[in-house]
Amino acid sequence: MHRTKVRVVEDALDANNTIAGANRGDFDRADVTVVNLMSAPGAGKTTLLERGLAGLDEEGLRVGVLEGDVQGSFDADRLAILHIPVVQLNTDNGFGGECHLDANMVRSALPDVPLADIDVLIVENVGNLVCPAEFRIGEDSRIMVCSVTEGEDKPLKYPLMFRACELVVINKVDLLQHLDFDVDRLEANIKQVNHEATVMRVSAKTGEGVDEFRAWLKALPARVAAAAIHAHDHDHAHGDHDHGHDHPDHEHATA
Amino acid sequence: MHEFDLSSAIVQTVNKHAAGRKVTHITLRVGRLRQVVKDTLLFYLAIVGKDTPCEGATLEIIDVPAVLRCKTCKDEWEIEIPAFICGTCGPGAVEVATGEEFMVESIEVEDEKEAACTAPR
């Protein structure tokens, strides 16, 4: 038996990224801006949506939600009061659920999502600070919710997640008076790993700062569209696509 | 914990390129910023690869250091902690030069005869 070395040089997540690209194509054709909403369990994603999405349709933004959960429809039931399209996506495949959504799971739920009737689709990911950051689902933007009960050091412990996000919502600021928590330090740590991130201080419970979140969301479709036009012009100017892969030379790596 | 899903992604990629041939060795290139725990990855790869062409393959991981580059002053430096700031120019123009890789670099497969690589690209 002869052994052959096969050069592969392929991102192991290419299969996921290909499906994410197909999702993105469907979203673009339907003119829907997609947000991947991530956080640790219990940071307040669903509460932020309950408060943040209420009445947005009357202000001209039609939002739908794809609820990713390991099991059950508790979150989708909570959002039913908003009278917006909410689709439940459970990751439990029989022997315990997945800890994140991947592109294929989102794709499987798309037939149930009324893309023609919405401007923005918010995909509420499974609560987890590690895996969701690695799997693109075809989103235009990523938001993470980080609550003040989690510790100021979280950006330094989960840089992969914090670096992936365009907006970090610091939630539960109404609790600050009861906690020994330095919210300025948290914000400095966020900026240390992701200087570009927009940071908001919010209490989804009292409503403090929620208007800022709503305004951000309302401005998102136009901003994403403008960025796409810019990227398109950039591609034409340079005649090449930047795939974002860096291939370091062998001598830079240590085996 | 993400190592389980990463293992599945590796096995899927490797088996595609193996095109039915038995895989004896896998070389990965993993950037430090991916926060992959090697022992955990090895543990899961053995489970996920079972009953596939990957079963029993040895694994080699090439560590890629986390190197940042400042777009302003063009300086490059390796980081040991997650501080994405240029000491000279501040945090604004820092980009990751290396450290985000999660690649299957190469595989070694058993061939019936000495033939050139026919794996799909």
Side-chain angles (χ1 to χ4, degrees), chain A residues 31-108:
Chain A
D31 203 14
V32 172
T33 304
V34 178
V35 173
N36 188 354
L37 179 63
M38 303 177 285
S39 81
K45 294 186 294 300
T46 310
T47 310
L48 180 68
L49 295 183
E50 278 179 301
R51 193 101 191 194
L53 303 185
L56 269 186
D57 49 345
E58 287 154 26
E59 295 172 29
L61 190 74
R62 301 168 304 163
V63 182
V65 177
L66 182 56
E67 268 293 342
D69 274 307
V70 173
Q71 215 173 40
S73 61
F74 304 106
D75 290 353
D77 296 345
R78 284 170 60 188
L79 295 179
I81 195 170
L82 296 174
H83 302 294
I84 61 172
V86 178
V87 176
Q88 181 70 50
L89 172 56
N90 282 347
T91 63
D92 191 340
N93 52 8
F95 52 90
E98 283 280 5
C99 53
H100 64 279
L101 297 179
D102 65 23
N104 200 40
M105 287 183 233
V106 169
R107 187 142 198 85
S108 71

Side-chain angles (χ1 to χ4, degrees), chain A residues 151-168:
Chain A
E152 301 98 339
D153 54 355
K154 289 297 171 278
L156 308 181
K157 287 184 176 172
Y158 302 94
L160 206 59
M161 171 64 78
F162 280 85
R163 280 185 60 73
C165 291
E166 189 181 359
L167 169 65
V168 180

Side-chain angles (χ1 to χ4, degrees), chain B residues 30-49:
Chain B
V30 180
R32 286 201 57 198
L33 292 172
R34 300 307 293 242
Q35 296 184 277
V36 171
V37 181
K38 270 193 214 177
D39 287 346
T40 313
L41 190 69
L42 286 169
F43 174 77
Y44 282 130
L45 268 174
I47 294 170
V48 177

